Amino acid sequence: MSLIRMENIVKTYLSAGAETPVLKGIDLRIEEGEYASVIGPSGAGKSTLMTIMGCLGSPTSGRYILDGEEVETLNDAQLSRARNEKIGFVFQAFHLLPGVKAIDNVMMPLLYCHKVPADARERARESLETVGLGHRLHHSPGQLSGGEQQRVTIARALVNNPKIILADEPTGNLDSKNGAEVMRILDQLNREGRTIVIITHDPKVAQHGRRTISLMDGRILEDRRHESVTQFEGSPSRAGSA
Amino acid sequence: MRALRNLKEALRGLALHKSKTLLMTLGVVIGIASLTVIVAIGEGAKAKVLARISDMGFGPEAFSVAAGAGRLFFARTKTPTTLTLADVDDIRAMPTVQAAVPHQRQSMRMVYKRNNTFTRVYGVTPEWQSARLWKLSDGSFFTDEDMKRKAKVAVLGATPAGKLFGDEDPVGKMVRIGKVYFRVAGVLEKKGVTESGFDPDDRVIVPLSTSISRLFRQTWLFSIRIHTLDPSKVQETMEGVRQLLRKNHNLSVFAEDDFRFITPEGIMEWVTAEERALNRMLVLISAVSLLVGGIVIMNIMLVSIRERIREIGIRRCFGARRSDITQQFLFESIFVSILGGTAGCALGATISFILKKFHVLAAKPTWESFVVAFVFSAAVGLVFGIQPARKAASLSPEETIR
């Protein structure tokens, strides 16, 4: 059973009475443990695809089955639960709660769990240590560098042990050094068995995955499997070493 | 559990946006403070009037029936002659009546040596003093024996005592009331002039038997003070007295009462009618200010939601339901207004205390007003918080995260 199964997904936005088709029939399957990149120029429909994949918005038509659940049939509470338990988001703009300590930011998904774990704080701390930020628990986003903030968002995405990490331009706001660091962490997570989907316009970032889905004008132009060019065995990764 | 978590998140949100929280709180503080102060002032005025009424010998268990149709102290006929001692005896025989104290009253000239004054002369029975709880500053009250002998003894109020005797001790001296000489038996303690200008000390008390046969030469009574067994019996007794007097006075079913009741509540209403109108207006004004406080909360919340749209989106991304967002923002507005309500109560209590302490106004804060204010402020938060909270929850996560 595919983790993500999309069948003829169409998304059309309505603005000022005019219909703007953004996705024009996407068929896509992503299996558990895959490391896929969705690549395409701006306006290709990458972000829209991600919002649908992340259960943040619904398609105009088509079927989306996430981990065996028909997303269209879910109500708000069920959708929220799916987002909470199955998906971990990493955003280009980090989207951390301003003024809130790193550990509290990371703990947030656990607070919205169906059953809040008793060791939520402990898990948040462990998650931050996994991304090498064990020494930054009580810093607020304003006190952290861009790279550190993105690592906090990865810790937050991981904390509830979701099946999929959805990363939207994870290196977009970072310099090359910090970008490389973030990608190293994502590579490591995939090696540990996590399904990762990266949305990017940057071919170099896309190459980290073992599958590249090229999007153009709302259609899949190419779906190519390849070796991950930057999967380095035995290289000093920060992930898991903190 | 979810509610508790959302409450925590709400508190965190308020703590993060301190200046907005303060602004929202301020509106409610002002509304609630003015509301509680106004209520306290109203209560204070009422307490003052009540004290004055009980000073008149009206406990909650007592009322008066006065001769002549009319209302309270105002008879429509000049000298109604309908109320008699026979009525008093019948009233005393009623099972719920503890005491019935009759009295006659006329204004007369009083003379001592070269001094003279015009004062109200009351003919009463000896139980008058215990019923009125009016102590003497000098001498003694007249007795049952004086009553029986129709003795020519008088007890002076502080005002005629001062006017006639100056520094001299009046007790034992002879004064002339009208054409009759009386020996002064005692002097009543001074009560002081009321706010309305009435001087309760301007009186002289003589035995009722004496006033009937020697001074006024009239048998009819001015009024009867009736003390019931306990306050719950007042209504029942009043109705009984009404029936009894109508029967004694041979009134047909069509005739109106030829007597009137004077009750503490009646006096209270009469005295406070104007004050209450003013008070109502002030309460209305402060309610409006509370309303404005609520609107301020709503506006700031709406602005705040626009600013915190990203936060809402992030929360939704990581599993917050619509109801979580609604709860969080609703808790914020309720908490703000409860905070404002509490601070407003504290401020109101402080202002009331200061007003009282420095004798500006007789403010009397009551715990009921604070409970009402508290509930009211929470309600303001709830009512004015619903719209922004629902708006926040209705935002689609897709759009909030962009």
Side-chain angles (χ1 to χ4, degrees):
Chain A
M1 185 179 66
S2 305
L3 196 53
I4 286 174
R5 191 170 137 204
M6 290 184 159
E7 289 176 8
N8 197 22
I9 292 288
V10 172
K11 179 77 179 183
T12 307
Y13 286 108
L14 261 178
S15 64
E19 285 190 356
T20 316
V22 180
L23 296 178
K24 301 169 184 168
I26 301 284
D27 289 293
L28 184 65
R29 283 172 185 243
I30 293 175
E31 309 300 324
E32 203 152 354
E34 266 198 90
Y35 193 173
S37 307
V38 178
I39 191 166
S42 73
K46 303 188 299 289
S47 293
T48 305
L49 185 65
M50 176 179 149
T51 57
I52 292 171
M53 214 178 263
C55 302
L56 297 171
S58 53
T60 310
S61 66
R63 279 179 86 199
Y64 174 31
I65 296 152
L66 171 67
D67 196 22
E69 274 184 309
E70 188 102 31
V71 172
E72 201 192 357
T73 62
L74 303 181
N75 61 24
D76 178 65
Q78 290 164 327
L79 276 175
S80 300
R81 192 167 172 178
R83 284 196 291 268
N84 180 258
E85 291 174 357
K86 293 183 179 164
I87 305 163
F89 292 93
V90 176
F91 299 102
Q92 177 179 7
F94 318 139
H95 290 341
L96 293 168
L97 296 180
V100 176
K101 288 178 198 162
I103 186 154
D104 290 319
N105 257 304
V106 172
M107 208 162 74
M108 195 248 292
L110 296 175
L111 298 182
Y112 289 113
C113 274
H114 188 59
K115 201 167 173 225
V116 180
D119 59 345
R121 186 159 283 271
E122 184 56 26
R123 277 170 65 178
R125 196 180 56 75
E126 278 171 15
S127 191
L128 275 166
E129 280 171 358
T130 307
V131 296
L133 285 177
H135 59 300
R136 288 277 201 246
L137 302 180
H138 300 289
H139 288 61
S140 62
Q143 297 167 315
L144 298 171
S145 72
E148 285 173 327
Q149 287 188 54
Q150 193 59 302
R151 281 192 274 152
V152 174
T153 69
I154 294 173
R156 179 178 62 182
L158 282 177
V159 73
N160 206 16
N161 199 22
K163 293 203 163 174
I164 311 160
I165 301 274
L166 264 184
D168 184 10
E169 303 280 9
T171 59
N173 272 5
L174 303 177
D175 58 32
S176 56
K177 181 167 166 275
N178 279 310
E181 178 62 31
V182 163
M183 288 316 296
R184 236 194 317 265
I185 294 171
L186 291 176
D187 294 347
Q188 174 69 25
L189 288 171
N190 177 251
R191 276 203 298 279
E192 288 165 5
R194 193 91 50 180
T195 312
I196 292 180
V197 178
I198 295 177
I199 313 285
T200 184
H201 69 279
D202 183 349
K204 268 194 241 156
V205 170
Q207 280 171 354
H208 281 254
R210 285 191 298 272
R211 178 179 173 190
T212 301
I213 302 154
S214 304
L215 224 58
M216 181 69 90
D217 289 334
R219 290 183 213 279
I220 293 176
L221 196 70
E222 191 187 16
D223 190 345
R224 189 167 56 88
R225 286 169 205 275
H226 52 81
E227 275 305 299
S228 172
V229 293
T230 41
Q231 296 258 337
F232 15 66
E233 292 298 324
S235 71
S237 166
R238 293 281 292 272
S241 65
Chain B
M1 192 63 206
R2 275 179 62 209
L4 192 70
R5 170 201 62 211
N6 293 328
L7 177 65
K8 270 189 200 163
E9 293 302 303
L11 294 183
R12 196 209 298 271
L14 289 174
L16 270 177
H17 305 92
K18 286 193 185 69
S19 59
K20 272 199 204 87
T21 306
L22 190 72
L23 274 176
M24 289 195 279
T25 311
L26 210 58
V28 182
V29 169
I30 293 167
I32 291 289
S34 58
L35 203 63
T36 49
V37 169
I38 286 161
V39 172
I41 289 171
E43 287 297 317
K46 211 154 114 189
K48 220 168 163 182
V49 175
L50 275 175
R52 184 58 79 179
I53 290 169
S54 81
D55 218 27
M56 290 166 70
F58 275 120
E61 83 299 346
F63 65 94
S64 275
V65 56
R71 199 179 152 248
L72 289 175
F73 308 111
F74 316 104
R76 283 207 294 272
T77 34
K78 184 82 177 137
T79 43
T81 59
T82 48
L83 218 50
T84 65
L85 281 171
D87 293 332
V88 179
D89 291 336
D90 288 344
I91 290 169
R92 277 191 185 131
M94 288 174 65
T96 54
V97 172
Q98 188 193 24
V101 187
H103 84 252
Q104 292 188 318
R105 192 179 93 176
Q106 265 188 32
S107 283
M108 294 184 93
R109 184 169 299 282
M110 254 181 105
V111 182
Y112 173 70
K113 288 186 180 165
R114 300 180 68 124
N115 300 333
N116 74 88
T117 180
F118 215 72
T119 187
R120 295 188 302 275
V121 182
Y122 289 77
V124 302
T125 53
E127 65 221 288
W128 179 88
Q129 196 210 357
S130 54
R132 287 293 300 258
L133 298 168
W134 200 333
K135 286 190 191 133
L136 297 183
S137 62
D138 197 5
S140 57
F141 207 76
F142 53 78
T143 59
D144 288 334
E145 187 57 29
D146 293 325
M147 184 73 183
K148 222 179 274 172
R149 288 194 298 111
K150 298 172 187 167
K152 290 185 276 185
V153 287
V155 175
L156 303 190
T159 304
K163 280 185 181 165
L164 295 177
F165 291 93
D167 294 335
E168 220 178 309
D169 180 8
V171 176
K173 306 272 162 48
M174 298 300 284
V175 289
R176 184 157 65 82
I177 304 173
K179 290 175 182 167
V180 185
Y181 278 93
F182 283 78
R183 183 177 55 78
V184 176
V187 179
L188 291 169
E189 248 179 16
K190 189 180 169 92
K191 295 222 181 205
V193 181
T194 67
E195 296 80 13
S196 53
F198 175 74
D199 180 7
D201 302 314
D202 193 5
R203 69 173 76 210
V204 62
I205 317 288
V206 300
L208 180 67
S209 54
T210 316
S211 72
I212 288 174
S213 57
R214 296 178 191 250
L215 192 60
F216 303 159
R217 294 173 184 279
Q218 66 180 43
T219 54
W220 63 86
L221 299 170
F222 182 78
S223 72
I224 306 165
R225 171 71 50 84
I226 298 159
H227 291 261
T228 61
L229 288 172
D230 73 87
S232 67
K233 298 279 195 297
V234 168
Q235 278 308 321
E236 176 190 344
T237 313
M238 259 165 77
E239 198 42 47
V241 168
R242 168 173 284 135
Q243 301 303 335
L244 188 151
L245 292 180
R246 289 187 68 88
K247 188 168 149 255
N248 282 6
H249 301 175
N250 293 319
L251 296 176
S252 79
V253 282
F254 303 110
E256 65 166 336
D257 295 344
D258 61 354
F259 51 87
R260 60 193 193 276
F261 289 105
I262 301 170
T263 58
E265 293 82 28
I267 301 171
M268 183 83 199
E269 262 206 34
W270 174 59
V271 177
T272 57
E274 253 177 73
E275 234 166 326
R276 269 182 300 133
L278 182 71
N279 219 43
R280 259 203 295 270
M281 200 179 74
L282 289 173
V283 166
L284 194 73
I285 291 170
S286 51
V288 167
S289 76
L290 195 60
L291 191 77
V292 172
I295 293 169
V296 167
I297 289 185
M298 185 159 80
N299 277 313
I300 295 180
M301 288 293 285
L302 284 172
V303 171
S304 172
I305 282 163
R306 194 170 294 177
E307 282 175 13
R308 288 165 67 186
I309 205 161
R310 185 60 49 80
E311 176 196 330
I312 296 165
I314 297 167
R315 289 184 186 279
R316 295 279 278 143
C317 277
F318 287 96
R321 303 181 198 178
R322 268 197 204 107
S323 56
D324 290 320
I325 302 293
T326 310
Q327 269 187 16
Q328 182 187 334
F329 281 87
L330 207 51
F331 278 144
E332 284 191 17
S333 64
I334 292 175
F335 184 83
V336 155
S337 48
I338 286 181
L339 190 73
T342 311
C345 282
L347 184 64
T350 312
I351 294 174
S352 304
F353 177 76
I354 290 170
L355 288 178
K356 198 175 171 186
K357 175 102 183 167
F358 295 100
H359 307 289
V360 184
L361 278 167
K364 185 187 169 203
T366 55
W367 64 269
E368 290 100 331
S369 69
F370 291 116
V371 171
V372 170
F374 195 75
V375 172
F376 213 56
S377 60
V380 162
L382 184 69
V383 169
F384 289 97
I386 282 176
Q387 157 72 1
R390 291 181 71 163
K391 192 183 163 174
S394 70
L395 297 167
S396 93
E398 183 185 4
E399 278 163 34
T400 48
I401 211 70
R402 277 191 178 172

